[in-house]
Amino acid sequence: MQPLATDSKLSISIDIGSTGPAAASPVAPSALNAFGSCEYAQTGFRVYMQVGSSQTTSWFITGFRRNASTAAPIRPRICIVGAGPAGFYTAQYILKHLDNSDIDIVEKLPVPFGLVRFGVAPDHPEVKNVINTFTKTAENPRTYGAEQDNTLNIPNENLQNVLSAREFVAWYNGLPGFENLNPDLSGKSLTLLGQGNVAVDVARIVLSSVDDLKKTDITEYALETLSRSRIDTVHLVGRRGPLQAAFTIKELREMLKLSSCTTRWRADDFDHVEESIPNLPRPRKRITELMVKSLAEQAPNNVPPAGRCFQPIFFRSPVNFVGSGKVEAVEYVVNRLADGRAVPTEQRETIATDLVCRSIGYRAVSVDNHINFDARKGCVNNAGGRVLKRNLTGSDQTIDDIEDKYETGLYASGWLATGPTGVILTTMNNSFGVADLVCRDFNSNTIRLNGSRPGLDLAGRPYVSWHGWKAIDREEVRLGQAKGKPREKLTRIETMLQIASNASD
């Protein structure tokens, strides 16, 4: 197969690279400069995006072109690193607003769509409908990733059965490299540390009926493990109170409606909450009213819940994992609120558990030490999407006072720029904003089209075309239909490559 041709109307390809043990380390985005076929405008133009995690080194390259006229002798050619939501939304906006532009999207997995494929809960198919929009963008005429978990740094965090929610989600969603996680669901209780939507997703999947999950695109190995699960209680623990809970009303409603599952609140957690409701902003008011209503309707504490139980617990911060060999309980400090912050008291509480999932956020990791990266925050240092230089002059000044502060033609979008926050709509708005900066910088000649830097040469390198991805997609759908599911995700890179290699362009 030929490299991406600069004169083709549309070129779409996926370059996979090595899949062996030697490929376990990501290739730095700066390595794009080592290959010489596709040229990028002036000093090069790269937009680094958040993508999913993988244990292999792969390249997913999708080429788009927007034709407004045939007169322009030099065209803007843009490289976007990351084929997740941020990457596709950025490409979508640029294609619409920057005439005569060509875009290559580079991704380390052999399949696109990032967290939409590997992060969205399998029982939320409506959220995955955005894939249709991304596919239209791809069929128009490495990578960084939030792939390292935040840790609590408390005693015994390395005990067996202490996992991260990111790992658990990757396991049931079929992210390659996590199929052998094999979480131990033989105990009676699971504790989720953190109260965001990811934590609620994990709770819902664990507490849901297997018959309901069979209709989703959850992996077959996860379905089999969940069918043998003995977990009947899930604790959702947060350091602050109900008024600060991070989950949304949609996720809470789904939990309250879950069949054969009772939600059990602690009444003491809601002291003075009801009297605060009239002064709350509307979104917070609605979710608080729903919690208070559910609390008022629940059975007395001396009546054991029927079936499985979902128990949110507030004002608790973990300080120690208790156990010999594997986790047996979590010791918490009891918090009080001061100006909206959790302040520890002298009180302690220990709650038994058989499995723990941390859900306290992710952070990006740097694979290119030439980029101005803040390891503490897990973000590329940027101002509105424009990447800041590593060594800024006038450090005693504010960023606004420094003139020569940006890396020309280098931008960050998605979680790499903002940290892992918000929902897909948040990422879309951020990506559109960064893409608008890109268009304005081209139109104002901030990025000059009078030079180029080498791009990626696919000659002699194994890669999978867009037709190859479509073949993988068809095979997953076929396997799913045989089981009454939307698709059965492939999780082995080798299998994906074999299917893709048999597809013709």
Side-chain angles (χ1 to χ4, degrees), residues 209-436:
S209 159
V210 171
D211 287 337
D212 290 336
L213 294 177
K214 283 179 180 178
K215 305 167 189 174
T216 73
D217 67 355
I218 192 169
T219 54
E220 196 66 21
Y221 61 75
L223 198 60
E224 175 64 24
T225 301
L226 288 166
S227 71
R228 299 193 304 268
S229 171
R230 297 182 61 221
I231 290 176
D232 57 18
T233 300
V234 173
H235 299 120
L236 187 81
V237 184
R239 59 192 173 90
R240 296 190 294 171
L243 295 177
Q244 293 80 33
F247 50 76
T248 61
I249 194 167
K250 177 179 182 292
E251 272 66 27
L252 177 58
R253 282 195 183 118
E254 288 177 334
M255 288 304 306
L256 295 178
K257 294 178 180 178
L258 202 61
S259 61
S260 303
C261 180
T262 301
T263 297
R264 181 64 63 88
W265 309 91
R266 289 181 169 187
D268 290 347
D269 289 345
F270 287 81
D271 283 349
H272 306 296
V273 167
E274 192 166 3
E275 62 195 53
S276 303
I277 290 177
N279 299 319
L280 296 175
R282 187 169 183 272
R284 177 60 62 184
K285 180 179 181 180
R286 291 173 61 219
I287 194 170
T288 306
E289 286 174 338
L290 184 58
M291 286 189 282
V292 169
K293 179 175 181 290
S294 175
L295 170 64
E297 294 173 348
Q298 77 180 21
N301 286 336
N302 59 357
V303 178
R308 295 177 172 181
C309 180
F310 172 60
Q311 185 171 7
I313 300 173
F314 300 96
F315 302 111
R316 301 293 185 273
S317 293
V319 293
N320 183 32
F321 291 111
V322 180
S324 176
K326 69 176 185 178
V327 69
E328 298 170 7
V330 182
E331 181 185 357
Y332 301 94
V333 62
V334 179
N335 297 324
R336 62 179 178 82
L337 279 186
D339 298 324
R341 295 182 299 108
V343 178
T345 68
E346 297 298 319
Q347 280 185 273
R348 296 289 190 273
E349 179 182 12
T350 299
I351 302 175
T353 191
D354 299 294
L355 178 65
V356 172
C357 282
R358 298 183 307 265
S359 187
I360 55 173
Y362 319 135
R363 55 193 176 94
V365 293
S366 174
V367 295
D368 186 345
N369 58 16
H370 296 93
I371 304 300
N372 187 353
F373 186 82
D374 187 328
R376 185 179 62 84
K377 295 180 180 178
C379 296
V380 166
N381 285 316
N382 70 97
R386 294 186 177 100
V387 174
L388 296 168
K389 290 184 174 181
R390 284 176 61 90
N391 299 311
L392 296 175
T393 57
S395 58
D396 58 333
Q397 301 172 323
T398 65
I399 287 295
D400 290 339
D401 294 330
I402 301 173
E403 292 185 7
D404 185 22
K405 58 189 174 222
Y406 300 124
E407 294 279 7
T408 303
L410 189 59
Y411 303 76
S413 177
W415 283 4
L416 180 63
T418 66
T421 182
V423 295
I424 288 179
L425 180 62
T426 314
T427 298
M428 182 188 76
N429 290 332
N430 169 262
S431 301
F432 282 177
V434 174
D436 186 63

Side-chain angles (χ1 to χ4, degrees), residues 53-56 170 174-181 221 491-493:
S53 174
S54 172
Q55 301 303 308
T56 63
L175 180 62
F178 290 87
E179 60 269 24
N180 296 319
L181 182 67
Y221 61 75
T491 60
R492 292 181 57 82
I493 298 289

Side-chain angles (χ1 to χ4, degrees), residues 101-116:
S101 56
D102 298 322
I103 299 175
D104 299 314
I105 294 185
V106 182
E107 162 68 58
K108 67 180 178 180
L109 287 173
V111 292
F113 310 135
L115 283 179
V116 177

